[in-house]
Amino acid sequence: MRRVLALVVVASLTFTGSAQVDNVPRDVIEQRIEAAAEQVGGDADVDLTALFQILTDHYQDPIDLNSATTQDLTSLMLLNDVQISSLLQHVQRNGKLQSLYELQTINGWDVNTINLVRPFVNVRENALGSTASLKEMLKQGSHEVILRSTMNIEERKGFMDRKNFFGSEYYDADGDALPDFGDDRVRDSLRANNKVYLGGPYRICTRYRFRYRQNVSFGFTAEKDEGEEFFKGSRPDGYDFYSAHLFVRNIGRLKALAIGDYSAQFGQGLTFWNGLAFASKSSFSLNVKRNGVGLAPYTSVNENLYMRGAAATFALAKKWEITGFFSKKKIDGNVTSIGSGTDTLGTNIEDLAFSSFLEDGFHRTPSEIGKRKSVDEQIVGGHVRYRSSTFSIGATAAHVGYDATLARDTKPYNQYDFQGNENTTVGVDWNLLYRNFTWFGEVAQSANGGMAMNTGLLIALDKRVSMSLLFRDYGRDFHGLYSVAFAEGTNPWNERGVFTGIEIRPNRMWQVNAYVDRFSFPWLRYLTNAPSSGFDWLAQVNWRPSKKVEIYARVRHQDKAKNTAEDIDGIDPLVRAEQTNYRVNVSCKVSNSVSLRSRIETVDYQRGSAPLQHGFLLYQDIVHRPMKSPVELTARFALFESGGYDARVYAYENDLIGVFSIPAYYGRGVRWYGMARVTPLRRVDVWLRYGAWIYRNQTVISSGLQEVAGNVRSDLKLQVRWTF
């Protein structure tokens, strides 16, 4: 594999061209992506494709700050609401900006903030926008085709019945003999009994998309995961997942039209929010307010978390708009038959129930295939909003129905969770700008009467000091099937809390962010057999001595109640589970083409009187992106160690364009990866990435059908991208 990478790099050096993607410097986009990814939390395989596309679009078609809306500025994921509010009020009071330099006079807009957003904004009016004709849109729009494949080098147990063409074949770590795969009856038995995967070991993704600025988008995505069949067996039609969309924005009174697959986001996420939502708490201590973008095209590969149907937003008047949305699709679920009966005509029917939703999208074995698209889901809803320059208020209603009954297991902690086959959620959200503060919030109610609310303030105390406050009270019986609001827990119910954040910018070199969050859970939770409470605080100091160097240090402490880890008969008593993370990160641009990133992070975790678990991560990144060469090179070398999974450390990794990952580092060993981008032809880019985990004192990695014998687990990724 090292020879393959070396050949690619050496061959690449013979070309000449530009190390840019769509005429966008890759490091400019990636820097913003990594900053936004910091808010995702512990998601090892998050899809930030939409954010990459938004930043690329705005680089080529900058946002006019004199006519920008809150939604426009929020879509960048680079500004907090204090900065956005200050800008909008400055334009309202003083008229249009004459220059980007005028931003320095606005509260919260320091030199670093201006440099961060400068590639994506301007102060000139957009000359084309929605006034362009269809012919102009088709002529000036861009087409993109992406072909991507991922393959494992060391064979997983689930593929042990087939030849591995890229690396070592699977063997039993204990030395036991493998089944006789040459016997068709043995292979058929293994497959029928979920002992091996049905499909090949390749993940394949194909994507086409046409875009004209933010006005028109249409395209399709097709994907199969490793282990899924391809043009045979359970998938005679090819890919396991197909998605297509047509999206139009800002055509006269039609503010948005979505046909096919799309996402819908409103308010603070309490009543209805579909699609990616960043983590509630991060070092961005002012980013506690959700800003629903309304309708947006769906271009991701998650096979369950999307809407499929049609939706539209119309401007009823200058300050009023209305949105209607409809979705009908099949989703994955653990379905069990609970009986049969007859309808009014005497026809026998089967009553079905499912115990849980499945979101991983894997359909690799007969068992997983049996759960594929097993539940019909239908969503009907709408949203009405009044919006002025300083105040907006909206009302949302959504009805979700299934053709099977959700019947969760009878664990005490989920006694108040939603069960049944339909639910309606209604809510009201608001946002008020007044001088140097923003007041926002949302109140929602589910069909059973359960209530949830949150409200907060964003305050610019001074040009250099800003604060955020958020109070939340989510009833234990609130049912929000599509609720994604600020919360300590996974879902916004059974929780009360108060969050306080602060950001201090004494000068252009220093910035301090901190928050404290206290929360309580009125009812039981998973692994917590009693009502409980806890707190979480973070402090981070950033130092930028020059444009080429940035250093930050961070400490975060979390304290929650959990069941004891001791083996005790009866009800497990609660103990405190405490975790403290320390991090120092250094970024340095040593030349116009070479950047270095270094990080050291430690974590201490202890649950009651159980032994302390300690985690450690040290890595060095090097990024080589010369502007006058068709080659990009990125590499990381990392050392890590943890005393258990609870002491794992998450870290963002560079990946193929449009692919983003934040894996957990745990165990003991070495992690390294290398990635190269080559431009052999104009508008054609080829990416090759190889990465490996090398563990110490391990003879087996992972478990089940993902088990790898030995101490090395690696993968190879290849992607071709053509734009025209």
Side-chain angles (χ1 to χ4, degrees), residues 193-451:
N193 289 281
N194 307 299
K195 300 298 184 181
V196 294
Y197 294 136
L198 299 176
Y202 313 111
R203 181 177 183 180
I204 304 173
C205 179
T206 301
R207 174 179 290 163
Y208 163 78
R209 189 179 183 190
F210 169 85
R211 283 175 288 167
Y212 172 74
R213 301 191 173 184
Q214 301 296 305
N215 298 100
V216 179
S217 172
F218 63 81
F220 70 87
T221 300
E223 188 227 27
K224 73 165 287 288
D225 293 307
E226 62 172 30
E228 295 175 342
E229 293 181 290
F230 193 49
F231 285 106
K232 65 177 181 179
S234 63
R235 301 307 307 159
D237 55 346
Y239 293 89
D240 179 68
F241 175 67
Y242 289 96
S243 174
H245 75 275
L246 169 63
F247 192 84
V248 178
R249 181 183 281 118
N250 294 331
I251 306 296
R253 285 184 175 269
L254 181 63
K255 296 300 180 182
L257 172 65
I259 299 175
D261 295 346
Y262 65 95
S263 62
Q265 303 174 352
F266 305 103
Q268 296 301 304
L270 264 184
T271 308
F272 195 90
W273 188 290
N274 163 256
L276 176 66
F278 289 103
S280 299
K281 293 179 286 188
S282 72
S283 59
F284 298 83
S285 52
L286 300 185
N287 288 354
V288 297
K289 177 174 173 284
R290 295 275 160 89
N291 291 284
V293 298
L295 304 179
Y298 182 80
T299 59
S300 183
V301 293
N302 186 290
E303 301 181 25
N304 292 278
L305 299 181
Y306 62 94
M307 309 276 279
R308 173 165 289 178
T313 299
F314 291 92
L316 299 177
K318 183 177 181 181
K319 297 182 179 180
W320 287 89
E321 64 182 33
I322 184 171
T323 300
F325 52 91
F326 172 79
S327 172
K328 186 172 184 179
K329 69 179 190 292
K330 291 182 177 293
I331 60 175
D332 296 353
N334 284 314
V335 174
T336 58
S337 176
I338 61 174
S340 61
T342 59
D343 59 15
T344 55
L345 300 178
T347 304
N348 290 329
I349 58 174
E350 186 179 31
D351 296 323
L352 296 179
F354 65 106
S355 59
S356 62
F357 301 99
L358 300 174
E359 299 179 359
D360 56 28
F362 292 139
H363 310 115
R364 305 162 297 186
T365 64
S367 175
E368 293 177 346
I369 292 172
K371 301 171 185 177
R372 181 181 186 270
K373 298 185 181 301
S374 56
V375 178
D376 285 330
E377 176 194 67
Q378 181 170 297
I379 304 173
V380 180
H383 176 79
V384 178
R385 178 162 295 280
Y386 169 84
R387 191 193 313 273
S388 69
S389 58
T390 59
F391 175 71
S392 71
I393 185 169
T396 309
H399 177 81
V400 182
Y402 305 102
D403 69 340
T405 300
L406 178 59
R408 303 182 190 272
D409 59 31
T410 57
K411 300 292 184 181
Y413 63 81
N414 62 23
Q415 176 180 339
Y416 293 95
D417 287 359
F418 170 77
Q419 303 201 55
N421 60 5
E422 60 179 353
N423 182 58
T424 300
T425 310
V426 296
V428 176
D429 66 273
W430 64 91
N431 189 75
L432 172 65
L433 306 180
Y434 180 73
R435 293 188 177 179
N436 63 337
F437 77 86
T438 301
W439 175 42
F440 64 93
E442 184 171 7
V443 177
Q445 183 179 32
S446 52
N448 66 332
M451 298 290 297

Side-chain angles (χ1 to χ4, degrees), residues 162-175:
R162 65 191 71 226
K163 181 72 175 177
N164 184 15
F165 295 101
F166 287 93
S168 60
E169 296 186 2
Y170 176 80
Y171 64 91
D172 189 279
D174 296 327

Side-chain angles (χ1 to χ4, degrees), residues 16 58 149 274 298 349 405 454 459 485 571 595 614 633 655 674:
T16 59
H58 287 316
S149 181
N274 163 256
Y298 182 80
I349 58 174
T405 300
N454 62 25
I459 310 169
I571 299 177
S595 299
H614 180 73
L633 299 175
D655 214 314

Side-chain angles (χ1 to χ4, degrees), residues 65 70 73 79-95 97 102-110 113 286 389 431 433-438 458-466 505:
L65 294 180
T70 300
L73 298 171
L79 297 169
N80 61 57
D81 285 278
V82 171
Q83 294 164 334
I84 294 173
S85 300
S86 297
L87 171 64
L88 297 178
Q89 293 198 59
H90 177 88
V91 173
Q92 181 185 14
R93 289 194 306 263
N94 304 294
L97 299 171
E102 190 177 339
L103 293 172
Q104 299 182 61
T105 66
I106 302 175
N107 284 345
W109 286 75
D110 55 15
T113 298
L286 300 185
S389 58
N431 189 75
L433 306 180
Y434 180 73
R435 293 188 177 179
N436 63 337
F437 77 86
T438 301
L458 296 166
I459 310 169
L461 301 176
D462 180 81
K463 180 177 175 61
R464 298 178 177 84
V465 182
S466 301
R505 301 170 299 278

Side-chain angles (χ1 to χ4, degrees), residues 155-163 169-173 175-191 193-197 705 707:
E155 191 170 57
R156 273 58 166 169
K157 184 177 182 180
F159 303 107
M160 61 181 176
D161 63 330
R162 65 191 71 226
K163 181 72 175 177
E169 296 186 2
Y170 176 80
Y171 64 91
D172 189 279
D176 297 335
L178 299 180
D180 181 10
F181 304 125
D183 188 330
D184 292 340
R185 292 175 300 176
V186 172
R187 294 186 65 183
D188 291 344
S189 176
L190 290 171
R191 295 183 179 186
N193 289 281
N194 307 299
K195 300 298 184 181
V196 294
Y197 294 136
L705 298 187
E707 177 184 302

Side-chain angles (χ1 to χ4, degrees), residues 63 69 128 230 320 625:
I63 296 173
T69 65
L128 293 174
F230 193 49
W320 287 89
R625 294 192 179 119

